[in-house]
Amino acid sequence: MTNAAHFISEFPLPDARGRFGRFGGRYVPETLIPALDELQAAYTAARNDPEFLAELDTLLREFVGRPSGLYLAENLTRRAGGAKIYLKREDLNHTGAHKINNCLGQALLAKRMGKKRIIAETGAGQHGVATATACALLGLDCVVYMGAEDIRRQSLNVFRMRLLGAEICEVTSGTSTLKDATNEAIRDWVTNVRSTFYILGSVVGPHPYPAMVRDFQSVIGEEVKVQMQALEGRSAPDAIVACVGGGSNAIGIFAPFAYLPPEQRPRLIGTEAAGEGVHTGRHAASVAGGKVGVLHGSMMYLMSDPEGQIIPAHSISAGLDYPGIGPEHCYYSTEGMAEYVPVTDAEALDALQLLAREEGIIPALETAHAIHYAMILAAELGTGKTVVVNLSGRGDKDVAEVARLLKGIESLGGVEA
Amino acid sequence: MTVVDKPSRVGRIHAAFERAASEGRAALIPYMTAGYPDQEGFPAVAQELLKRADLMEIGLPYSDPLGDGPVIQKAGEQAILQGTSTRRTLQFVKELRPTTDVPLLIMTYINPVYAVGPEEFMRLAADAGVDGLILPDLPPDQDDEIRDLATRYGLGLTFLIAPTSTPARVQIVTEACTAFVYAVSVTGVTGAREGGALNEVPALVALARQHTTLPVAVGFGVKDALTARKVAVDADADGVVVGSAFIAAVKAGQDLGALADDIKGGCVKGG
């Protein structure tokens, strides 16, 4: 197939004010507004600069290993008994997840802007590892904010980041998870804005972050188009499933299809983390919760009490444990361009084991949410149809936590055929 | 239900600055988180500050205060845990209102305003006797409705400028303000910091004055008479906002009135 990113996709939204309909915008302290203007100008110049695009393309190909495979999961397909299930193998990227696509783009941009100090937030640690990797490669200083709770459950990634030379700042404010790590990263940026580039890891935050992160991740969906054409003779599958916390892997695979005319558009389905069940209140399903507000600089669906205090999210997976969802997803949801369905902790844990046994792939707990729903959807769509699942990350980081949750290896086996 | 008396609220704010100026001082504007240190203790703390204040900011606590340092964050968390809701905060204002003519300003983030509904929020605030609003995560060009509603309910609006602000941004922000302009002294969050802070304040205040005739108050990092003097005298600001230092004093059980008197001394011009 063609090289991954000799171009960066263009999309009709956001508008000039950084809005996807009513969602998005720039709700941040005034201190940051000039920096966001500067970032937007630098990004616009970079994405139109052949030299920047060629440098990014080379890194994506030779450092990351793109294009990632589109793999027909025959055992899983047989098991579901319906549509063909394809797995978009972002788990095979260097560092083990889709996050590196965005980090390299932003780190190259930081270098171009002459910013030597990089900060990032991380939940599961995948974005932190990818940022630390990009910084090591490009010779940039790296500080990663991570919640104390996430440091506990993702200790492998903490060690990886340290090996890569990053400084980890433990965050103990609020709920000690991704939301609070993001708050601290933004506070750092407000303080050190003149010297520092903030590599945001998801399609959240003030404009232009949701658009820029989407653009760098849209290489996933662009590759799927080419690969589907070669495998199935048409560029769009019947459905695409991806897990959604902030929503960067999902937007990366959705966006290149989302703005097609409705009759050409595949069904786009984001799986939100339902935790212990949406009815219990212990979940991270922002669309299902249905409240609109402002979090981390952007108007979005979020989890809050009736007076606007943000409610702690809950998910088995640190990467989905976030009480909001990116503004473009909110727009897709209200416009009917994509659907968002809740998947519980227990369902994800089962799906992780299922994929391991059936296909020999241990997915990240985040990704397992998408696998669960893809099985249901494949059966529902029936034979002759195709479903693409974004296999956004691998599960190495989760093995210790999964073992803890299953109370040891001896309790495995509940999913045997 | 009260809606009108528009001139009196914004007028009260401007008059407070004028009175301080006529006495040769920058206005002292203390900040205190509503419901801090607890529901019972807040009114007495507020009264202690109101005795010395020219204007007063009351913080409506929010779970994710992006613009605040650790001191105000923790005060807010504590207040929320003890039940300081939006309605409770406005009830505190309602109880303070008959006891003082000092303008009372609510400082909070935009999400609690949107959660109640912007119009309902303005109506409740006006009814409680609030004179003005400060929303540090709402750059004025993000929401036109807020400005229209504030005008309709007669509430003064204050937006922020920062050392990073370009002249174009200062123009946008100062035009949107109706009460006064809030100049953030440093790039950063609220609270004291080490070393050579406040050096950028004179240039920032001067830039603001090129764009507005409204009073210009300075906040973030003012903690004592010395830092107050830097702002009031060296930078010739019209007002000095102090928050974290007062909260830290309450927490440490120090004499709040003595600290306020000391800082107020630093606000004297030509001193």
Side-chain angles (χ1 to χ4, degrees):
Chain A
M1 67 176 289
T2 56
N3 287 337
H6 266 329
F7 68 100
I8 294 175
S9 312
E10 292 198 36
F11 300 100
L13 289 175
D15 64 20
R17 296 179 74 179
R19 300 276 175 166
F20 303 87
R22 65 186 292 207
F23 302 105
R26 279 182 176 174
Y27 299 89
V28 290
E30 185 67 32
T31 309
L32 291 181
I33 298 292
L36 292 166
D37 283 337
E38 184 195 9
L39 175 62
Q40 193 178 348
Y43 170 59
T44 303
R47 60 167 291 153
N48 292 309
D49 178 353
E51 218 172 290
F52 177 84
L53 295 176
E55 199 176 354
L56 179 59
D57 180 56
T58 301
L59 286 177
L60 289 177
R61 198 156 17 88
E62 290 164 15
F63 186 71
V64 176
R66 303 207 70 90
S68 67
L70 187 66
Y71 163 71
L72 175 60
E74 292 190 38
N75 297 338
L76 212 56
T77 298
R78 214 166 11 250
R79 172 96 182 201
K84 277 193 208 170
I85 301 174
Y86 283 99
L87 304 177
K88 179 61 173 165
R89 299 294 307 273
E90 293 299 299
D91 61 317
L92 295 180
N93 291 342
H94 179 44
T95 70
H98 68 290
K99 292 292 187 187
I100 191 77
N101 304 328
N102 167 53
C103 289
L104 286 170
Q106 288 198 47
L108 283 177
L109 187 56
K111 210 171 167 185
R112 211 179 137 95
M113 292 172 74
K115 309 268 185 182
K116 295 273 193 286
R117 179 175 180 268
I118 302 293
I119 56 170
E121 84 297 335
T122 199
Q126 290 302 108
H127 174 60
V129 167
T131 304
T133 298
C135 289
L137 177 72
L138 299 174
L140 302 164
D141 293 335
C142 182
V143 176
V144 179
Y145 287 90
M146 189 168 185
E149 169 65 10
D150 293 336
I151 287 178
R152 182 194 66 74
R153 56 181 168 175
Q154 309 277 246
S155 54
L156 177 65
N157 274 343
V158 173
F159 190 60
R160 290 168 80 195
M161 286 184 269
R162 289 195 171 126
L163 276 177
L164 291 160
E167 179 192 335
I168 312 296
C169 285
E170 180 171 356
V171 176
T172 54
S173 58
T175 55
S176 302
T177 61
L178 178 56
K179 167 182 83 88
D180 309 285
T182 308
N183 286 340
E184 283 309 316
I186 294 174
R187 289 183 186 119
D188 180 313
W189 201 34
V190 171
T191 305
N192 301 299
V193 60
R194 288 171 173 132
S195 66
T196 297
F197 189 105
Y198 179 18
I199 299 191
L200 223 168
S202 195
V203 284
V204 299
H207 177 65
Y209 280 105
M212 181 172 66
V213 176
R214 169 201 61 196
D215 295 351
F216 286 134
Q217 291 294 2
S218 65
V219 63
I220 304 171
E222 295 296 347
E223 285 178 7
V224 168
K225 280 185 183 172
V226 176
Q227 291 166 322
M228 280 300 294
Q229 188 66 47
L231 290 162
E232 294 282 338
R234 60 198 189 95
S235 63
D238 294 294
I240 298 175
V241 185
C243 64
V244 185
S248 72
N249 92 79
I251 216 82
I253 198 164
F254 288 177
F257 298 97
Y259 295 96
L260 292 171
E263 64 279 7
Q264 294 170 30
R265 186 168 60 218
R267 277 179 68 186
L268 304 174
I269 298 150
T271 57
E272 293 194 288
E276 295 171 7
V278 173
H279 65 282
T280 67
R282 289 194 32 89
H283 65 91
S286 304
V287 174
K291 288 204 184 71
V292 174
V294 169
L295 179 64
H296 297 146
S298 204
M299 185 169 285
M300 59 171 67
Y301 283 112
L302 48 68
M303 297 174 55
S304 81
D305 74 10
E307 295 206 326
Q309 307 293 343
I310 304 300
I311 297 174
H314 166 79
S315 170
I316 192 174
S317 68
L320 304 185
D321 199 345
Y322 183 72
I325 174 170
E328 190 164 2
H329 286 296
C330 300
Y331 179 76
Y332 290 177
S333 175
T334 57
E335 296 298 310
M337 295 158 74
E339 307 153 56
Y340 296 85
V341 299
V343 173
T344 65
D345 287 350
E347 289 166 339
L349 200 52
D350 282 347
L352 179 141
Q353 297 170 74
L354 178 73
L355 190 66
R357 296 290 177 93
E358 293 288 343
E359 296 289 347
I361 299 170
I362 302 173
L365 275 169
E366 289 78 9
T367 313
H369 289 74
I371 299 291
H372 169 80
Y373 194 75
M375 294 298 286
I376 295 171
L377 187 65
E380 194 182 293
L381 289 173
T383 50
K385 305 283 187 177
T386 50
V387 177
V388 172
V389 184
N390 199 7
L391 201 72
S392 54
R394 60 179 176 241
D396 306 33
K397 70 184 174 59
D398 293 318
V399 168
E401 181 71 358
V402 168
R404 192 181 71 83
L405 290 163
L406 295 175
K407 297 186 179 64
I409 200 81
E410 63 276 8
S411 72
L412 283 170
V415 294
E416 253 155 357
Chain B
M1 170 173 145
T2 50
V3 169
V4 204
D5 96 307
K6 184 186 305 184
S8 75
R9 293 175 199 269
V10 179
R12 171 149 52 188
I13 292 169
H14 293 162
F17 280 102
E18 280 159 23
R19 193 176 317 115
S22 74
E23 294 170 8
R25 296 181 293 111
L28 175 63
I29 312 175
Y31 167 98
M32 185 53 59
T33 301
Y36 189 82
D38 51 40
Q39 301 281 315
E40 295 70 34
F42 171 74
V45 165
Q47 288 297 349
E48 198 64 12
L49 292 170
L50 280 168
K51 277 183 219 161
R52 284 105 179 156
D54 294 292
L55 302 89
M56 174 139 178
E57 289 183 21
I58 294 171
L60 192 170
Y62 176 53
S63 56
D64 294 78
L66 281 184
D68 284 308
V71 173
I72 293 181
Q73 280 176 48
K74 289 208 172 67
E77 273 175 31
Q78 194 172 322
I80 290 169
L81 278 176
Q82 294 176 6
T84 309
S85 60
T86 298
R87 281 172 178 79
R88 185 72 189 99
T89 299
L90 294 176
Q91 183 62 32
F92 279 130
V93 173
K94 205 167 202 165
E95 289 159 14
L96 292 172
R97 186 70 286 168
T99 70
T100 180
D101 284 328
V102 170
L104 300 174
L105 315 164
I106 288 286
M107 180 149 184
T108 192
Y109 291 80
I110 193 63
N111 203 48
V113 176
Y114 284 159
V116 175
E119 173 145 25
E120 178 68 358
F121 189 94
M122 299 289 173
R123 192 183 66 74
L124 292 170
D127 270 353
V130 172
D131 295 299
L133 287 181
I134 306 171
L135 301 165
D137 64 342
L138 184 72
D141 46 351
Q142 289 297 308
D143 188 330
D144 305 330
E145 193 195 11
I146 288 279
R147 296 155 63 186
D148 295 344
L149 286 172
T151 305
R152 195 181 321 154
Y153 285 89
L155 297 172
L157 272 182
T158 289
F159 296 102
L160 285 67
I161 57 174
T164 52
S165 297
T166 58
R169 284 305 302 178
V170 171
Q171 174 82 23
I172 289 168
V173 173
T174 53
E175 271 179 8
C177 295
T178 58
F180 63 95
V181 178
Y182 190 136
V184 174
S185 68
V186 291
T187 60
V189 294
T190 56
R193 60 214 78 223
E194 302 300 315
L198 306 178
N199 297 336
E200 298 184 277
V201 178
L204 184 60
V205 172
L207 178 60
R209 294 210 195 281
Q210 290 172 17
H211 295 274
T212 185
T213 55
L214 288 173
V216 180
V218 174
F220 288 35
V222 180
K223 58 179 179 182
D224 52 21
L226 184 69
T227 44
R229 189 167 296 120
K230 275 191 162 183
V231 166
V233 180
D234 301 355
D236 199 23
D238 302 308
V240 178
V241 184
V242 183
S244 298
F246 287 138
I247 289 172
V250 170
K251 189 176 181 189
Q254 289 163 356
D255 186 339
L256 196 58
L259 177 62
D261 284 337
D262 185 41
I263 293 176
K264 199 166 181 175
C267 291
V268 175
K269 302 272 185 182

